[in-house]
Structure formats: structure tokens, C-alpha cells
Amino acid sequence: MPVPCAMAVGSGPDAGRNQTHGGPDARHGTAGTNGKATVSSASQVAERDVPFQLRGNSFTMMVLKVFAPTSPNFFTQLNVKVRQAPNFFHNAPVVLDFDDLPESIVFDLAAFVAQVQALNLLPVGFQGGPQPVREAAMNVGLTPMPAGRAAKLEEVVKAPDPRQHDQQAPVAAPQVLIEVVHRPTVVVTEPVRSGMRVYAEKTDLIVTSSVSPGAELLADGNIHVYGALRGRALAGFSGDTNARIFCHSLEAEVLSVAGNYRVSEDIGSDFYKKAVQVFLRDGVLSMDLLKSG
């Protein structure tokens, strides 16, 4: 980005000629810094005149997987879940996953979305579903979203046994594309205050201090908190079901491993303010006390 003070050059008559007619100073950048300053000034003016900027970004969104949208208990149970952690769910963007709906399903999607919004959730997109459901979702302004899926790195392709190799029929070697991504562990040594969000992408997160209520920790790997965990902790954020959460004092508002949640009301007195590890066991979010010594 050009230095803003370059605009000061435009006040003199020579600078005006260089900007308008492309004089020798502007062509060669000589005679001091006048030529360079004129070019920088014009570039900066052009950048400021652009009324917008397009860029890529990534955002955290929950997925509401819909199995039975016509069930009379659907919104009653969803309301119970939202009320368990109202600050966490308030105005949270949500992607509606219709992938498991039967082809014959018929329901008023516009009314369904309105009821989700009434619970202070904000449906912004959808995934999958029968063609009529997808069309209805588009009509109410939802965006089609690509399905997220965690990559499996443990798949191994075995080489052919040379003893079984047929000399007359050469065996094509399997083509395996492996992307190895290594990122150093994210270490936070200061307290994580309310309203702060820390995301450790494709790695683990270590916090050597405490986490305040209203703060949020996210990691594609494990989360370690060597202090009180009073905010929200979401490990295995990209779908790693082997991820874990470790903390010295469990006082969390929300815990999650690979999208499986538990709110503070579900923690229980046996683990509250104790040193705990949180993990998935048979697909269920579980907790164990950390043993010392």
C-alpha cells in the first residue's frame, strides 16, 4: 500500500503537470522523489476510489441436520437445546442439512425457516436434500453450501507383492497423492478474555492461562488449557473424532469434539472445577478426570 503522505506532492504546479501530462519526472522517477511520489499518489487515489473489495475468508457455522422437519417435537426439542446455552446460540449462523430427508418429504420450508429464526438462530445456507426442497430453499434466500468432510490421512495403499508379479502383464503402480500439512502448535500465554476467539487451524491449541466466560477456543486438533476453562472449547473443529480437550479446571459454557456438543448444565458436579479430559467414546462426548502422579 503506498504511503499516504505521498499525496502532499500534488500541491505544486510541477506535480500537477506530471500527473496530467506524464512529464519527465513521472516517466523516470528522477529529480528527487517527485516522480515516485506522483505515481504513488495516483495509485492510492485509484485504490480509494474503488467502492468495494472482494476477498476470500472462512467463517465458523453450525450445521443443523434435519431428520424429521414435520415432527411436532422438532422445535420443542430444539428450543430446549438453545435455552441451555442462549449466549452461544444467539444470532448464530446455521446451515440446514437436508441430506437425509426422504425424496417424498413435503413440508413448508419457508415456515420452517421462520420457526428456526424465532429461536434466534440465523439460517444462511443449506446442504443436500430432494430437488423440491433445494428449490424451496433457494426461493427463501438460503445459499447452497458444499458439504464439509474431514480428510482421512490413515488410508494406506499396499504395493503389489513382487512374488505375484506377472512378467507378461505389468502392473500399474498406484498413484497416491498425500498432502502433508504441518503447522506448529498455537500457544497462548495471556488470559483469553470474554469476546475473544482463538482458532488453531490444522494444529493443537495450548492456553497456559485461564479462559473467561464468553471467550471461544477452536482447534482442528487438541485443546489444552492449563488454567480455568470458563468459556467455550471446540476441539476437532474440522471433524477429527480423535481430538480431545484437556483442562485444569472445567467450568466451561460449551464443550465440543468434532461437532458433538455438551453445555454447562450437562457437565455434572463430578467434573465441575476438576482437571478433566473430554473426548468421544462410541460417538458420545465423554469425560474423565485427569490422574495426577
Side-chain angles (χ1 to χ4, degrees):
M1 179 69 69
V3 180
C5 64
M7 287 297 297
V9 178
S11 60
D14 291 340
R17 283 197 302 273
N18 290 337
Q19 291 174 354
T20 305
H21 305 292
D25 290 345
R27 285 196 304 269
H28 303 293
T30 58
T33 59
N34 195 33
K36 292 182 180 179
T38 302
V39 174
S40 298
S41 174
S43 174
Q44 186 169 353
V45 170
E47 289 180 2
R48 286 215 303 259
D49 286 344
V50 176
F52 62 85
Q53 182 187 50
L54 290 175
R55 59 175 182 160
N57 210 332
S58 59
F59 299 91
T60 302
M61 284 187 289
M62 289 183 294
V63 176
L64 176 60
K65 197 166 186 63
V66 181
F67 299 114
T70 59
S71 169
N73 298 323
F74 187 98
F75 288 101
T76 302
Q77 295 182 12
L78 182 58
N79 183 47
V80 170
K81 180 62 68 175
V82 169
R83 289 170 64 88
Q84 288 177 342
N87 293 332
F88 177 71
F89 290 107
H90 183 71
N91 287 339
V94 174
V95 175
L96 303 178
D97 186 347
F98 301 126
D99 203 43
D100 289 338
L101 293 182
E103 291 292 332
S104 59
I105 188 74
V106 176
F107 69 103
D108 187 343
L109 193 139
F112 180 85
V113 169
Q115 287 183 275
V116 174
Q117 293 171 333
L119 298 179
N120 291 321
L121 297 174
L122 300 179
V124 296
F126 71 94
Q127 293 177 341
Q131 183 64 28
V133 174
R134 296 198 300 269
E135 292 177 355
M138 293 283 288
N139 289 336
V140 299
L142 299 182
T143 301
M145 306 288 288
R149 183 174 63 88
K152 295 182 179 180
L153 301 181
E154 57 268 22
E155 294 180 357
V156 178
V157 177
K158 296 182 178 180
D161 190 338
R163 293 172 297 180
Q164 300 176 357
H165 182 66
D166 184 357
Q167 298 295 333
Q168 302 300 323
V171 179
Q175 295 182 357
V176 183
L177 178 62
I178 300 177
E179 180 185 3
V180 179
V181 178
H182 172 73
R183 296 190 178 184
T185 300
V186 175
V187 179
V188 178
T189 58
E190 300 294 329
V192 183
R193 306 295 185 187
S194 178
M196 294 178 60
R197 170 179 289 180
V198 182
Y199 178 32
E201 184 178 10
K202 297 182 180 179
T203 189
D204 293 347
L205 172 61
I206 296 177
V207 179
T208 62
S209 188
S210 296
V211 181
S212 298
E216 189 171 58
L217 307 179
L218 304 97
D220 290 335
N222 304 307
I223 294 177
H224 304 255
V225 179
Y226 298 105
L229 173 56
R230 303 186 182 95
R232 301 183 289 269
L234 291 77
F237 191 64
S238 293
D240 183 1
T241 56
N242 294 316
R244 298 193 174 209
I245 300 171
F246 305 87
C247 65
H248 278 194
S249 180
L250 180 60
E251 306 167 41
E253 298 170 327
V254 176
L255 299 169
S256 171
V257 175
N260 296 272
Y261 287 86
R262 182 179 290 198
V263 296
S264 58
E265 289 82 356
D266 299 330
I267 291 177
S269 57
D270 291 342
F271 301 101
Y272 186 68
K273 290 190 176 182
K274 303 289 180 61
V276 174
Q277 62 169 321
V278 184
F279 56 95
L280 289 181
R281 177 186 289 142
D282 298 327
V284 177
L285 197 66
S286 305
M287 294 183 289
D288 277 343
L289 296 176
L290 287 174
K291 299 178 181 179
S292 59

